[in-house]
Amino acid sequence: MKLELGKIFIKDIQFADTTEIKDHVLYVSKKELTEVFLTEEKIKEVEFDIAKPGESVRITPVKDVIEPRVKVEGKGGVFPGVISSVDTVGSGKTYCLKGMAVVTAGPIVGFQEGIIDMTGLGAEYTPFSKTLNLTCVCKPVEGTESHAYEQAVRMAGLKAATFIAEKAKELTPDETKVYETLDLIEGANAYPNLPRVGYVQMLQSQGLLHDTYVYGVDAKKILPTILYPTEDMDGAIISGNCVSACDKNPTYVHENNPVIEDLFEEHGKTINFVAHIITNENVYLADKERSSNQTAKLCKMLHLDAVIITEEGFGNPDTDLIMNCKKIEAEGIKTVIVTDEYAGRDGKSQSLADADVAANALVTAGNANQLITLPKLDKLIGTLDYVTKIAGASDTTLKPDGSLEVELQVITGATSEVGFNKLSAR
């Protein structure tokens, strides 16, 4: 499976009468984009804004972050089974708009949504302080239930990213990168002396408002399966979950999965990157046993020498993490787990809800309970009405001077980015 990923660098976003891309500037028509959002009947209205790196801007509560991508050649389309038809993706040619993102937000009551700060301490913990963000604040039709609102905002964000990406279809990429995974026998013959390495990605799937979708299917309904790593780059996996902001992989992170990127960088040099295995994180013990059994079996079938495992969420999924680790290790396969920790504000509590001696190689993404103070910023996109309700905040979060005292877990993408950067440095 070979994918050519063409990168078109966006250097600015401006509002205009027509949506188009010229000279690395994305011009956005509010009228045209509003029409896209209002195709979702549960959305009453939407307000657009632009947040740029270094500006004194806070965005909250954030639902999803999406990088616009469009399929130019090859089978299927981006976000298969959701926006495009159900077809196997990950081959051919795809264009992506680098340096920008579509950010959906809104008064999402009771959800564990997060904060993006474009400057200050908070900006140091999120990758999305470094992107040009087209923000879309969605207001629901009165009486809309939370889960229906979440679905509407999720779908509208994907539609908007698709609409924008289509404007790049006739452009010439600034840079093209080729990603290729050989079939199993071809790969074994091509790299007979390199260790066979796989990536096991645990997807959040604990139930309503805690879902991830694979080719449009709720991940809690799948058995662990093998993907070509490039399928992820075409949007085969999208976020639909509302776990703590630092533990949630927005759709942008799936599209730009840094573990996959790093493994491709070493592919054919120091390792043979064999496969991307996805598994879920269900809540019942029987489901955990079933999925971890299947994951270990797939690793053995692929004759892997080593595996990297990443977790999404914390607490209950820690059990899935340790089950996967110890069962894969029991097959004689070395594992490295990547996770954040919840060790209390003083860092002295047990950091994971489960443990095993097999988990003796760990890359930590830091303590999500770490207390930080975010300064008041000049501009707010969204609302602070619910800031005391999100995970990592409290009734005393909002201070008289406008600053926010919160745990690190409120920052969108916080610990994932830190952990992946540490993985890259190993």
Side-chain angles (χ1 to χ4, degrees), residues 1-5 7 90 177-181 230 233 260-261 264-265:
M1 182 80 82
K2 182 168 72 173
L3 177 69
E4 293 183 29
L5 192 65
K7 301 178 181 181
K177 193 164 186 176
V178 178
Y179 300 87
E180 185 173 14
T181 304
T230 50
M233 297 178 183
I260 290 175
E261 293 273 358
F264 264 124
E265 284 297 319

Side-chain angles (χ1 to χ4, degrees), residues 172-366:
T172 300
D174 300 299
E175 177 184 309
T176 298
K177 193 164 186 176
V178 178
Y179 300 87
E180 185 173 14
T181 304
L182 298 175
D183 290 337
L184 295 177
I185 294 177
E186 291 177 315
N189 291 334
Y191 310 111
N193 299 317
L194 295 180
R196 297 171 60 80
V197 177
Y199 170 40
V200 172
Q201 183 181 13
M202 295 168 50
L203 303 176
Q204 177 59 241
S205 55
Q206 290 180 279
L208 192 63
L209 305 179
H210 289 69
D211 299 314
T212 303
Y213 296 88
V214 182
Y215 281 94
V217 176
D218 191 332
K220 65 174 170 285
K221 298 179 180 179
I222 70 169
L223 280 175
T225 190
I226 302 170
L227 299 180
Y228 284 102
T230 50
E231 292 177 70
D232 214 2
M233 297 178 183
D234 272 344
I237 303 175
I238 62 170
S239 174
N241 73 73
C242 305
V243 297
S244 297
C246 71
D247 282 294
K248 176 172 68 177
N249 288 325
T251 299
Y252 183 104
V253 173
H254 290 299
E255 296 172 287
N256 294 279
N257 189 310
V259 175
I260 290 175
E261 293 273 358
D262 284 355
L263 288 171
F264 264 124
E265 284 297 319
E266 295 302 317
H267 181 54
K269 302 172 185 175
T270 61
I271 63 168
N272 181 2
F273 182 21
V274 175
H276 178 198
I277 299 170
I278 57 171
T279 184
N280 48 26
E281 301 172 351
N282 290 342
V283 295
Y284 294 108
L285 181 60
D287 292 327
K288 294 177 184 295
E289 293 284 8
R290 181 183 300 111
S291 289
S292 56
N293 288 342
Q294 292 294 316
T295 300
K297 182 187 76 175
L298 291 175
C299 292
K300 182 180 180 181
M301 289 174 65
L302 293 169
H303 293 276
L304 298 181
D305 297 304
V307 165
I308 294 171
I309 309 171
T310 61
E311 175 186 22
E312 186 173 17
F314 68 99
N316 186 291
D318 291 349
T319 301
D320 303 82
L321 176 68
I322 298 303
M323 280 186 174
N324 284 320
C325 174
K326 68 182 182 181
K327 290 179 181 180
I328 294 170
E329 286 270 353
E331 298 293 349
I333 302 167
K334 295 180 180 180
T335 64
V336 175
I337 62 176
V338 182
T339 181
D340 60 359
E341 305 174 61
Y342 282 78
R345 292 182 177 182
D346 60 2
K348 296 180 180 179
S349 300
Q350 179 173 319
S351 57
L352 297 178
D354 201 355
D356 190 88
V357 294
N360 58 9
L362 180 148
V363 176
T364 178

Side-chain angles (χ1 to χ4, degrees), residues 62-67 69 79 101-104 112-116 125-128 131 133 150 154 158 201-204 211-213 232 235-258 311-313 410-417 420:
V62 175
K63 168 57 198 160
D64 200 5
V65 184
I66 308 158
E67 182 176 85
R69 297 191 171 198
F79 308 129
V102 173
V103 178
T104 52
Q112 294 171 299
E113 304 299 5
I115 295 171
I116 296 174
Y125 288 99
T126 175
F128 308 120
T131 52
N133 296 321
E150 182 279 325
R154 170 171 24 104
L158 295 171
Q201 183 181 13
M202 295 168 50
L203 303 176
Q204 177 59 241
D211 299 314
T212 303
Y213 296 88
D232 214 2
I237 303 175
I238 62 170
S239 174
N241 73 73
C242 305
V243 297
S244 297
C246 71
D247 282 294
K248 176 172 68 177
N249 288 325
T251 299
Y252 183 104
V253 173
H254 290 299
E255 296 172 287
N256 294 279
N257 189 310
E311 175 186 22
E312 186 173 17
V410 308
I411 304 296
T412 300
T415 52
S416 294
E417 187 199 19
F420 289 143

Side-chain angles (χ1 to χ4, degrees), residues 18-130:
T18 302
T19 302
E20 58 184 344
I21 301 170
K22 285 185 177 180
D23 299 324
H24 298 95
V25 177
L26 170 63
Y27 296 94
V28 177
S29 165
K30 291 184 180 181
K31 182 178 182 296
E32 292 174 351
L33 209 55
T34 296
E35 292 173 357
V36 173
F37 272 82
L38 294 186
T39 59
E40 292 296 321
E41 61 180 18
K42 296 298 183 182
I43 295 178
K44 179 181 179 180
E45 60 182 278
V46 57
E47 297 177 356
F48 302 107
D49 210 329
I50 299 165
K52 302 180 181 181
E55 292 183 337
S56 184
V57 176
R58 173 166 293 142
I59 312 167
T60 188
V62 175
K63 168 57 198 160
D64 200 5
V65 184
I66 308 158
E67 182 176 85
R69 297 191 171 198
V70 61
K71 177 61 67 179
V72 178
E73 294 178 8
K75 292 173 58 178
V78 175
F79 308 129
V82 182
I83 300 298
S84 304
S85 61
V86 181
D87 203 345
T88 302
V89 295
S91 63
K93 186 180 296 184
T94 296
Y95 289 172
C96 57
L97 302 187
K98 305 304 293 184
M100 69 148 297
V102 173
V103 178
T104 52
I108 310 177
V109 184
F111 289 11
Q112 294 171 299
E113 304 299 5
I115 295 171
I116 296 174
D117 280 359
M118 302 304 293
T119 191
L121 181 61
E124 297 177 14
Y125 288 99
T126 175
F128 308 120
S129 64
K130 304 173 186 66

